[in-house]
Amino acid sequence: MHLPGRESMSNPNASGENTRFIILISLVATIGGFLFGFDSGVINGTVDGLTAAFNSDAAVTGFNVASMLLGCAIGAWFAGTLADRYGRRTMQLWAAVFFLVSAWGSGIATSSAEFVIYRVLGGFAVGAASVMAPAYISEVAPARYRGRLATVQQIAIISGLFAAFLSNYLLAKVASSSMAVLWWGYEAWRWMFWAEIAPAALFLVALFFIPESPRYLVARGLRERAQKVLVRLYGAGEGARKLVEIDASLASDHHRPRLSDLVSKATGRIRPIVWVGVGLATFQQFVGINVVFYYGAVLWQAVGFSESDALLINVLSGALSIGACIVTVLLIDKVGRKPLLWIGSAGMAVSLGLVAYAFSTGGLDATGKLQLSGSMGVLALVAANVYVVFFNMSWGPVMWVMLGEMFPNQIRGSGLAVAGLAQWTANFLITWTFPMLLAGIGLAAAYGIYTAMAVLSVFFVLRFVHETKGRELEQMEG
């Protein structure tokens, strides 16, 4: 990743900006993104174990998988609003604690109800991390490389997914299957959840060494603390100037942000920027990406691959996703956010259409599983991974980058709360309904729906999304 020149990297006092420190604290925030990805992806390899352990049908299995997303919606909503009261770093600390509790509890659960409780707690953490990490990064990073740093959050998310896929594959390989006993009398699928404990503990400890967001501190009237943070980030002169800008960007009649700020005083209606945020958040999920992330093993087994091969395909998808995100890091502050979004939408529409076509050519075997010819199996596999690449070079990282920076200072926390709630609600609906779609209308029709959403997202971007590249947060309008 290319960030500012070597002069400022090696001697931060030359320009006043402490680039190394900014990058370091941003990377700490992205550990939450890694856990977001790990907690989301770990369920992928445990579906068979959960179904067998809890004797659940398709609807219950779908709810077990999707239950975390209910917590995510709640976590995103409350983290966004509570962060305006207690701080960005404070909410990330709570998220780290919930990650730890969820990882342990999901592995020891003995019933669907108990499992759902722990997964919802993990959802609180994922929801909070999903909105707080991009908000924190956008509020400490300079505009000229803010997009690149915020995109690292998506690399962390995909790295978490990749780590979950890889650990799931290795644990199942060692045990012979996800349902087999591995160590100390516990099945491999339980150890898949426990693998998250170590990075969650690291996140908790590291958060104690980063400062609070200076923009939050100004909004709470803590100007001296804010100035100290700004000076440490940008140097004395730039820090003082930035303090004045932040102060001026907040409402003159009340500095402390509140939910009612989402309504325009001029029109009495919800600000247009809020609806754009909701649109970005929901379209990111309606294209069906988390069907691949959460049900990848089930999907590939449904078209004839073994459990071991299906888990290995997940690892491949994760590696491709990381590569796609690295491309975005290189491009996002050069070509901008909007071009990446519409190019990604077009690419996803084509690749999803090919996946749907491949699935439409298959037939059912004696057990009711879809069987594809050799060429159609290859087409489905290649097109699905092309789809994953397009998503992760566009909507995957860019949506979170834009949500973290597109809202004015006065409504950033509240705007993120609303958009985060919409994103995770859409995620829940897509994830919960997939097993029922699979059983009811089949893979081809399900992917046809996701294809249509990708097509619609092209028009949404072109019509409603405005570029934010290179603009300071204090220049954002709502």
Side-chain angles (χ1 to χ4, degrees), residues 299-300 302-305 313 351-363 370-385 443-444 447:
L299 172 66
W300 297 117
V303 295
F305 290 93
I313 291 170
S351 53
L352 280 170
L354 290 173
V355 173
Y357 170 73
F359 288 157
S360 72
T361 66
L370 181 68
Q371 294 295 305
L372 300 181
S373 66
S375 60
M376 288 296 103
V378 171
L379 176 61
L381 180 60
V382 172
N385 280 290
L443 278 171
Y447 271 77

Short mmCIF file of all heavy atoms in Angstrom, two decimals, residues 299-300 302-305 313 351-363 370-385 443-444 447:
data_model
loop_
_atom_site.label_atom_id
_atom_site.label_comp_id
_atom_site.label_asym_id
_atom_site.label_seq_id
_atom_site.Cartn_x
_atom_site.Cartn_y
_atom_site.Cartn_z
N LEU A 299 -23.34 -24.64 -0.30
CA LEU A 299 -23.57 -24.37 -1.72
C LEU A 299 -22.79 -25.33 -2.60
O LEU A 299 -23.35 -25.95 -3.50
CB LEU A 299 -23.15 -22.92 -2.02
CG LEU A 299 -23.14 -22.49 -3.49
CD1 LEU A 299 -24.55 -22.50 -4.05
CD2 LEU A 299 -22.52 -21.10 -3.62
N TRP A 300 -21.49 -25.48 -2.33
CA TRP A 300 -20.67 -26.32 -3.19
C TRP A 300 -20.95 -27.80 -2.99
O TRP A 300 -20.83 -28.59 -3.92
CB TRP A 300 -19.20 -25.98 -3.01
CG TRP A 300 -18.92 -24.57 -3.41
CD1 TRP A 300 -18.46 -23.56 -2.64
CD2 TRP A 300 -19.16 -24.00 -4.71
NE1 TRP A 300 -18.39 -22.38 -3.35
CE2 TRP A 300 -18.81 -22.63 -4.62
CE3 TRP A 300 -19.63 -24.50 -5.92
CZ2 TRP A 300 -18.92 -21.77 -5.71
CZ3 TRP A 300 -19.74 -23.64 -7.00
CH2 TRP A 300 -19.38 -22.30 -6.89
N ALA A 302 -23.91 -28.80 -2.47
CA ALA A 302 -25.19 -28.96 -3.17
C ALA A 302 -25.00 -29.22 -4.65
O ALA A 302 -25.90 -29.75 -5.31
CB ALA A 302 -26.06 -27.72 -2.97
N VAL A 303 -23.84 -28.84 -5.20
CA VAL A 303 -23.59 -29.10 -6.62
C VAL A 303 -22.54 -30.19 -6.81
O VAL A 303 -21.94 -30.28 -7.88
CB VAL A 303 -23.19 -27.82 -7.37
CG1 VAL A 303 -24.33 -26.82 -7.37
CG2 VAL A 303 -21.95 -27.18 -6.76
N GLY A 304 -22.33 -31.01 -5.78
CA GLY A 304 -21.56 -32.22 -5.98
C GLY A 304 -20.17 -32.28 -5.38
O GLY A 304 -19.53 -33.32 -5.44
N PHE A 305 -19.66 -31.20 -4.79
CA PHE A 305 -18.34 -31.25 -4.19
C PHE A 305 -18.40 -31.90 -2.81
O PHE A 305 -19.41 -31.80 -2.11
CB PHE A 305 -17.74 -29.84 -4.07
CG PHE A 305 -17.36 -29.22 -5.38
CD1 PHE A 305 -18.26 -28.41 -6.07
CD2 PHE A 305 -16.11 -29.43 -5.94
CE1 PHE A 305 -17.92 -27.83 -7.29
CE2 PHE A 305 -15.76 -28.85 -7.15
CZ PHE A 305 -16.67 -28.05 -7.83
N ILE A 313 -12.56 -24.69 -1.34
CA ILE A 313 -13.02 -23.64 -2.26
C ILE A 313 -13.24 -22.35 -1.49
O ILE A 313 -12.95 -21.25 -1.98
CB ILE A 313 -14.31 -24.09 -2.98
CG1 ILE A 313 -14.00 -25.22 -3.96
CG2 ILE A 313 -14.96 -22.92 -3.72
CD1 ILE A 313 -15.24 -25.87 -4.53
N SER A 351 -21.52 -11.84 -13.74
CA SER A 351 -21.04 -13.09 -13.15
C SER A 351 -22.16 -13.83 -12.41
O SER A 351 -22.24 -15.07 -12.47
CB SER A 351 -19.85 -12.82 -12.22
OG SER A 351 -20.15 -11.82 -11.27
N LEU A 352 -23.02 -13.10 -11.71
CA LEU A 352 -24.16 -13.75 -11.05
C LEU A 352 -25.10 -14.37 -12.07
O LEU A 352 -25.65 -15.47 -11.85
CB LEU A 352 -24.92 -12.73 -10.20
CG LEU A 352 -24.33 -12.41 -8.83
CD1 LEU A 352 -25.06 -11.21 -8.21
CD2 LEU A 352 -24.40 -13.60 -7.89
N GLY A 353 -25.31 -13.69 -13.20
CA GLY A 353 -26.15 -14.25 -14.25
C GLY A 353 -25.59 -15.56 -14.77
O GLY A 353 -26.35 -16.52 -15.03
N LEU A 354 -24.26 -15.65 -14.90
CA LEU A 354 -23.63 -16.89 -15.36
C LEU A 354 -23.78 -18.00 -14.31
O LEU A 354 -24.00 -19.17 -14.67
CB LEU A 354 -22.15 -16.64 -15.66
CG LEU A 354 -21.86 -15.77 -16.88
CD1 LEU A 354 -20.36 -15.45 -16.97
CD2 LEU A 354 -22.34 -16.46 -18.16
N VAL A 355 -23.67 -17.65 -13.04
CA VAL A 355 -23.88 -18.65 -11.98
C VAL A 355 -25.31 -19.19 -12.04
O VAL A 355 -25.53 -20.41 -11.98
CB VAL A 355 -23.59 -18.04 -10.59
CG1 VAL A 355 -23.98 -19.02 -9.49
CG2 VAL A 355 -22.13 -17.66 -10.45
N ALA A 356 -26.28 -18.28 -12.16
CA ALA A 356 -27.68 -18.69 -12.23
C ALA A 356 -27.92 -19.60 -13.44
O ALA A 356 -28.63 -20.61 -13.35
CB ALA A 356 -28.58 -17.47 -12.30
N TYR A 357 -27.30 -19.25 -14.57
CA TYR A 357 -27.46 -20.08 -15.78
C TYR A 357 -26.88 -21.47 -15.55
O TYR A 357 -27.51 -22.48 -15.91
CB TYR A 357 -26.76 -19.41 -16.96
CG TYR A 357 -26.67 -20.32 -18.16
CD1 TYR A 357 -27.80 -20.62 -18.92
CD2 TYR A 357 -25.44 -20.90 -18.52
CE1 TYR A 357 -27.71 -21.48 -20.02
CE2 TYR A 357 -25.35 -21.76 -19.60
CZ TYR A 357 -26.49 -22.05 -20.35
OH TYR A 357 -26.40 -22.90 -21.42
N ALA A 358 -25.68 -21.54 -14.98
CA ALA A 358 -25.06 -22.85 -14.74
C ALA A 358 -25.93 -23.72 -13.84
O ALA A 358 -26.15 -24.91 -14.11
CB ALA A 358 -23.67 -22.66 -14.11
N PHE A 359 -26.48 -23.12 -12.78
CA PHE A 359 -27.33 -23.88 -11.87
C PHE A 359 -28.63 -24.32 -12.56
O PHE A 359 -29.18 -25.37 -12.24
CB PHE A 359 -27.66 -23.06 -10.63
CG PHE A 359 -26.49 -22.88 -9.69
CD1 PHE A 359 -26.46 -21.82 -8.80
CD2 PHE A 359 -25.43 -23.77 -9.68
CE1 PHE A 359 -25.39 -21.65 -7.92
CE2 PHE A 359 -24.35 -23.60 -8.81
CZ PHE A 359 -24.34 -22.55 -7.94
N SER A 360 -29.10 -23.52 -13.52
CA SER A 360 -30.36 -23.85 -14.19
C SER A 360 -30.25 -25.08 -15.07
O SER A 360 -31.26 -25.68 -15.45
CB SER A 360 -30.85 -22.67 -15.02
OG SER A 360 -30.04 -22.49 -16.18
N THR A 361 -29.02 -25.49 -15.44
CA THR A 361 -28.83 -26.64 -16.32
C THR A 361 -28.76 -27.96 -15.57
O THR A 361 -28.74 -29.01 -16.19
CB THR A 361 -27.53 -26.48 -17.13
OG1 THR A 361 -26.40 -26.53 -16.24
CG2 THR A 361 -27.52 -25.17 -17.90
N GLY A 362 -28.72 -27.91 -14.24
CA GLY A 362 -28.53 -29.12 -13.46
C GLY A 362 -29.81 -29.90 -13.23
O GLY A 362 -30.92 -29.40 -13.43
N GLY A 363 -29.64 -31.12 -12.77
CA GLY A 363 -30.76 -31.97 -12.39
C GLY A 363 -30.55 -32.51 -10.99
O GLY A 363 -29.45 -32.41 -10.43
N LEU A 370 -28.53 -31.09 -6.27
CA LEU A 370 -28.35 -30.63 -7.64
C LEU A 370 -27.06 -31.22 -8.20
O LEU A 370 -26.02 -31.20 -7.55
CB LEU A 370 -28.28 -29.10 -7.67
CG LEU A 370 -28.11 -28.45 -9.04
CD1 LEU A 370 -29.37 -28.66 -9.88
CD2 LEU A 370 -27.82 -26.96 -8.88
N GLN A 371 -27.14 -31.75 -9.40
CA GLN A 371 -25.97 -32.29 -10.08
C GLN A 371 -25.72 -31.51 -11.37
O GLN A 371 -26.62 -31.34 -12.19
CB GLN A 371 -26.19 -33.77 -10.40
CG GLN A 371 -26.30 -34.67 -9.19
CD GLN A 371 -25.00 -34.73 -8.40
OE1 GLN A 371 -23.95 -35.06 -8.94
NE2 GLN A 371 -25.08 -34.41 -7.11
N LEU A 372 -24.49 -31.01 -11.54
CA LEU A 372 -24.12 -30.27 -12.74
C LEU A 372 -23.17 -31.10 -13.59
O LEU A 372 -22.43 -31.94 -13.08
CB LEU A 372 -23.43 -28.96 -12.37
CG LEU A 372 -24.21 -27.95 -11.53
CD1 LEU A 372 -23.36 -26.70 -11.29
CD2 LEU A 372 -25.52 -27.56 -12.20
N SER A 373 -23.20 -30.86 -14.90
CA SER A 373 -22.20 -31.49 -15.77
C SER A 373 -20.83 -30.89 -15.44
O SER A 373 -20.73 -29.86 -14.77
CB SER A 373 -22.55 -31.21 -17.24
OG SER A 373 -22.43 -29.82 -17.53
N GLY A 374 -19.78 -31.54 -15.92
CA GLY A 374 -18.44 -31.07 -15.62
C GLY A 374 -18.21 -29.63 -16.05
O GLY A 374 -17.68 -28.81 -15.28
N SER A 375 -18.65 -29.29 -17.27
CA SER A 375 -18.43 -27.93 -17.77
C SER A 375 -19.24 -26.91 -17.01
O SER A 375 -18.76 -25.80 -16.72
CB SER A 375 -18.77 -27.86 -19.26
OG SER A 375 -20.14 -28.21 -19.48
N MET A 376 -20.49 -27.25 -16.66
CA MET A 376 -21.32 -26.31 -15.91
C MET A 376 -20.84 -26.15 -14.47
O MET A 376 -20.94 -25.07 -13.88
CB MET A 376 -22.79 -26.76 -15.93
CG MET A 376 -23.47 -26.60 -17.27
SD MET A 376 -23.61 -24.84 -17.81
CE MET A 376 -22.29 -24.76 -19.02
N GLY A 377 -20.28 -27.21 -13.89
CA GLY A 377 -19.70 -27.11 -12.56
C GLY A 377 -18.52 -26.15 -12.55
O GLY A 377 -18.37 -25.33 -11.64
N VAL A 378 -17.69 -26.25 -13.60
CA VAL A 378 -16.55 -25.34 -13.72
C VAL A 378 -17.03 -23.91 -13.93
O VAL A 378 -16.50 -22.96 -13.33
CB VAL A 378 -15.64 -25.77 -14.89
CG1 VAL A 378 -14.57 -24.71 -15.16
CG2 VAL A 378 -14.98 -27.11 -14.59
N LEU A 379 -18.05 -23.72 -14.80
CA LEU A 379 -18.59 -22.38 -15.03
C LEU A 379 -19.12 -21.77 -13.74
O LEU A 379 -18.85 -20.60 -13.43
CB LEU A 379 -19.71 -22.44 -16.07
CG LEU A 379 -20.44 -21.11 -16.35
CD1 LEU A 379 -19.47 -20.07 -16.89
CD2 LEU A 379 -21.61 -21.32 -17.30
N ALA A 380 -19.89 -22.56 -12.96
CA ALA A 380 -20.44 -22.06 -11.70
C ALA A 380 -19.32 -21.67 -10.75
O ALA A 380 -19.37 -20.60 -10.10
CB ALA A 380 -21.34 -23.11 -11.06
N LEU A 381 -18.29 -22.50 -10.66
CA LEU A 381 -17.19 -22.24 -9.73
C LEU A 381 -16.41 -20.99 -10.15
O LEU A 381 -16.14 -20.11 -9.32
CB LEU A 381 -16.26 -23.45 -9.70
CG LEU A 381 -15.03 -23.34 -8.77
CD1 LEU A 381 -15.47 -23.14 -7.33
CD2 LEU A 381 -14.17 -24.59 -8.90
N VAL A 382 -16.09 -20.87 -11.43
CA VAL A 382 -15.31 -19.72 -11.90
C VAL A 382 -16.13 -18.44 -11.80
O VAL A 382 -15.65 -17.41 -11.31
CB VAL A 382 -14.85 -19.95 -13.36
CG1 VAL A 382 -14.21 -18.67 -13.92
CG2 VAL A 382 -13.86 -21.10 -13.42
N ALA A 383 -17.40 -18.48 -12.26
CA ALA A 383 -18.24 -17.28 -12.22
C ALA A 383 -18.49 -16.81 -10.80
O ALA A 383 -18.50 -15.60 -10.53
CB ALA A 383 -19.56 -17.55 -12.93
N ALA A 384 -18.68 -17.74 -9.87
CA ALA A 384 -18.90 -17.37 -8.47
C ALA A 384 -17.68 -16.67 -7.89
O ALA A 384 -17.81 -15.70 -7.13
CB ALA A 384 -19.26 -18.60 -7.64
N ASN A 385 -16.49 -17.14 -8.25
CA ASN A 385 -15.29 -16.50 -7.73
C ASN A 385 -15.00 -15.17 -8.43
O ASN A 385 -14.46 -14.25 -7.80
CB ASN A 385 -14.10 -17.45 -7.84
CG ASN A 385 -14.07 -18.49 -6.73
OD1 ASN A 385 -13.82 -18.16 -5.57
ND2 ASN A 385 -14.36 -19.73 -7.05
N LEU A 443 -31.44 -23.24 -6.56
CA LEU A 443 -30.29 -22.34 -6.62
C LEU A 443 -30.39 -21.36 -7.79
O LEU A 443 -30.05 -20.18 -7.66
CB LEU A 443 -29.01 -23.16 -6.74
CG LEU A 443 -28.42 -23.72 -5.44
CD1 LEU A 443 -27.28 -24.68 -5.76
CD2 LEU A 443 -27.94 -22.61 -4.54
N ALA A 444 -30.82 -21.83 -8.94
CA ALA A 444 -30.86 -20.97 -10.13
C ALA A 444 -31.77 -19.77 -9.92
O ALA A 444 -31.39 -18.62 -10.20
CB ALA A 444 -31.31 -21.77 -11.34
N TYR A 447 -30.30 -17.29 -7.30
CA TYR A 447 -29.24 -16.44 -7.86
C TYR A 447 -29.77 -15.49 -8.91
O TYR A 447 -29.19 -14.44 -9.17
CB TYR A 447 -28.09 -17.31 -8.39
CG TYR A 447 -27.07 -17.59 -7.33
CD1 TYR A 447 -27.30 -18.54 -6.34
CD2 TYR A 447 -25.89 -16.85 -7.26
CE1 TYR A 447 -26.38 -18.78 -5.34
CE2 TYR A 447 -24.97 -17.07 -6.26
CZ TYR A 447 -25.22 -18.04 -5.30
OH TYR A 447 -24.31 -18.24 -4.28
#
